[in-house]
Amino acid sequence: MNIVLKIGDQAISSEDLYPLLAQYRLLPQLAKEIIIDQAIAEITCTPEETTLAKQQFYQKQQITDETQLKVWLEHHGMTPEQLEKLSIRDLQIEKFKQLTWGDKLDPYFVKCKGKLDRVVYSLIRSKDPGVAQELYFRIQEGENTFSELARQYSQGSEAQTGGLLGPVELNTPHPKIAQILASSRPGQLSPPTQVGEWWIILRLEKYVSAQLDDNTRQRLLNELFQGWLLAQLQQNVSFSPPQASQDQEQSYTEKLN
């Protein structure tokens, strides 16, 4: 029996690894990492990029000398050659994302913009429709400010902020709330609307249109990459558990009997 891992008194052989990976739901993650390695195999880095990537990796892992390097390698069960590849892997992945989807970001941004736009809004919620209607009229007539009534009557955590929420992306609130906000003008007060068990009053305070800046570009690249990775996993990966040996099957049968 080929022992590849020892944890306390438990010796784990290479034959034990597949069942353990399956048991702890690590097989899909392993498959994802292999898919990534296959995809970035031809991605090259310049000597300058490699040096900088290694420096950043070592700094992140707090490796400052040969002793710490040796300890890190032993702790992770890794060879120096594997560490060399690992230290530039993130850079290769980012290059792969750019090469694959960099020129597709503009149309993808247009497609996703609706969910990326952000809103600041005020909310009052009550389980009593009569109370909600009264509060709406008091705000509409200027008898009280939205903030005053939210602090006094709103039955959610927004009461602590005078009903003010955001900025949040437009797809964050309940879909019915998002629909109202998307069709509102800043400052527009919406009449009581039932959302689940609540009656809500809304006022759009500010609409912040999403921009394709560096942060948004990185986010969209990550989304496209993760979507591709999931599709690869579903389409190209199959798991084949090893067949139990005759002795194992006999032992299992004896336990059942």
Side-chain angles (χ1 to χ4, degrees), residues 6 20 32 59 75 117 126 140 194 220 228 234 239:
K6 192 171 183 181
L20 287 172
K32 286 180 182 179
Q59 184 177 12
H75 178 73
D117 289 343
S126 173
Q140 192 177 44
Q194 187 172 14
L220 296 181
W228 166 84
Q234 293 172 339
F239 300 114

Side-chain angles (χ1 to χ4, degrees), residues 123-129 132-133 174-177 179-180 190-202:
L123 167 71
I124 293 175
R125 53 179 160 172
S126 173
K127 292 184 179 180
D128 187 329
Q133 193 68 44
H174 186 282
K176 200 167 186 178
I177 293 177
Q179 183 179 10
I180 295 171
S190 299
T193 303
Q194 187 172 14
V195 178
E197 61 179 342
W198 300 102
W199 285 85
I200 62 167
I201 306 167
L202 290 172

Side-chain angles (χ1 to χ4, degrees), residues 139-153:
I139 297 169
Q140 192 177 44
E141 297 300 322
E143 295 180 18
N144 300 93
T145 67
F146 200 115
S147 179
E148 289 171 344
L149 296 181
R151 290 184 185 279
Q152 187 173 355
Y153 293 102

Side-chain angles (χ1 to χ4, degrees), residues 169-194:
E169 290 179 355
L170 195 53
N171 66 338
T172 301
H174 186 282
K176 200 167 186 178
I177 293 177
Q179 183 179 10
I180 295 171
L181 293 173
S183 60
S184 297
R185 301 182 308 277
Q188 182 176 342
L189 183 68
S190 299
T193 303
Q194 187 172 14

Side-chain angles (χ1 to χ4, degrees), residues 82-141:
Q82 289 173 317
L83 175 59
E84 186 82 11
K85 292 181 179 179
L86 179 63
S87 65
I88 64 169
R89 190 170 185 262
D90 285 347
L91 176 58
Q92 288 177 295
I93 292 172
E94 291 306 315
K95 284 192 164 192
F96 172 73
K97 292 177 187 177
Q98 289 288 347
L99 287 170
T100 308
W101 297 287
D103 60 352
K104 300 178 177 64
L105 284 184
D106 285 346
Y108 186 63
F109 171 72
V110 173
K111 178 182 176 182
C112 298
K113 187 178 180 302
K115 72 175 183 179
L116 298 174
D117 289 343
R118 296 182 297 159
V119 289
V120 179
Y121 65 101
S122 293
L123 167 71
I124 293 175
R125 53 179 160 172
S126 173
K127 292 184 179 180
D128 187 329
V131 169
Q133 193 68 44
E134 179 187 347
L135 297 179
Y136 170 71
F137 286 131
R138 287 167 66 177
I139 297 169
Q140 192 177 44
E141 297 300 322

Side-chain angles (χ1 to χ4, degrees), residues 4-251:
V4 295
L5 179 63
K6 192 171 183 181
I7 304 173
D9 295 331
Q10 184 179 4
I12 298 172
S13 69
S14 55
E15 291 80 9
D16 296 328
L17 277 181
Y18 187 100
L20 287 172
L21 289 170
Q23 178 179 338
Y24 296 115
R25 296 174 295 174
L26 294 174
L27 282 173
Q29 185 59 41
L30 175 61
K32 286 180 182 179
E33 300 301 338
I34 293 173
I35 290 169
I36 293 172
D37 279 346
Q38 292 173 347
I40 66 174
E42 303 301 321
I43 302 294
T44 60
C45 302
T46 66
E48 293 77 14
E49 289 174 333
T50 299
T51 298
L52 180 59
K54 288 175 65 175
Q55 289 174 348
Q56 292 174 339
F57 181 86
Y58 277 44
Q59 184 177 12
K60 185 176 181 180
Q61 300 299 320
Q62 298 181 332
I63 301 173
T64 58
D65 55 40
E66 289 297 323
T67 300
Q68 291 179 337
L69 175 59
K70 183 178 179 181
V71 170
W72 193 95
L73 289 171
E74 290 177 352
H75 178 73
H76 291 85
M78 193 176 292
T79 66
E81 292 74 21
Q82 289 173 317
L83 175 59
E84 186 82 11
K85 292 181 179 179
L86 179 63
S87 65
I88 64 169
R89 190 170 185 262
D90 285 347
L91 176 58
Q92 288 177 295
I93 292 172
E94 291 306 315
K95 284 192 164 192
F96 172 73
K97 292 177 187 177
Q98 289 288 347
L99 287 170
T100 308
W101 297 287
D103 60 352
K104 300 178 177 64
L105 284 184
D106 285 346
Y108 186 63
F109 171 72
V110 173
K111 178 182 176 182
C112 298
K113 187 178 180 302
K115 72 175 183 179
L116 298 174
D117 289 343
R118 296 182 297 159
V119 289
V120 179
Y121 65 101
S122 293
L123 167 71
I124 293 175
R125 53 179 160 172
S126 173
K127 292 184 179 180
D128 187 329
V131 169
Q133 193 68 44
E134 179 187 347
L135 297 179
Y136 170 71
F137 286 131
R138 287 167 66 177
I139 297 169
Q140 192 177 44
E141 297 300 322
E143 295 180 18
N144 300 93
T145 67
F146 200 115
S147 179
E148 289 171 344
L149 296 181
R151 290 184 185 279
Q152 187 173 355
Y153 293 102
S154 196
Q155 295 177 287
S157 59
E158 68 281 345
Q160 299 174 8
T161 60
L164 194 63
L165 296 170
V168 295
E169 290 179 355
L170 195 53
N171 66 338
T172 301
H174 186 282
K176 200 167 186 178
I177 293 177
Q179 183 179 10
I180 295 171
L181 293 173
S183 60
S184 297
R185 301 182 308 277
Q188 182 176 342
L189 183 68
S190 299
T193 303
Q194 187 172 14
V195 178
E197 61 179 342
W198 300 102
W199 285 85
I200 62 167
I201 306 167
L202 290 172
R203 185 174 69 195
L204 178 63
E205 306 295 348
K206 187 178 182 181
Y207 195 97
V208 184
S209 182
Q211 304 296 320
L212 189 56
D213 55 20
D214 289 343
N215 289 336
T216 303
R217 283 182 174 276
Q218 188 61 54
R219 173 178 172 176
L220 296 181
L221 276 176
N222 292 341
E223 281 187 12
L224 289 165
F225 174 70
Q226 291 299 327
W228 166 84
L229 188 55
L230 180 60
Q232 293 295 310
L233 186 65
Q234 293 172 339
Q235 297 169 11
N236 299 319
V237 176
S238 60
F239 300 114
S240 302
Q243 295 296 320
S245 67
Q246 188 172 357
D247 291 342
Q248 288 174 318
E249 291 181 353
Q250 183 176 356
S251 174

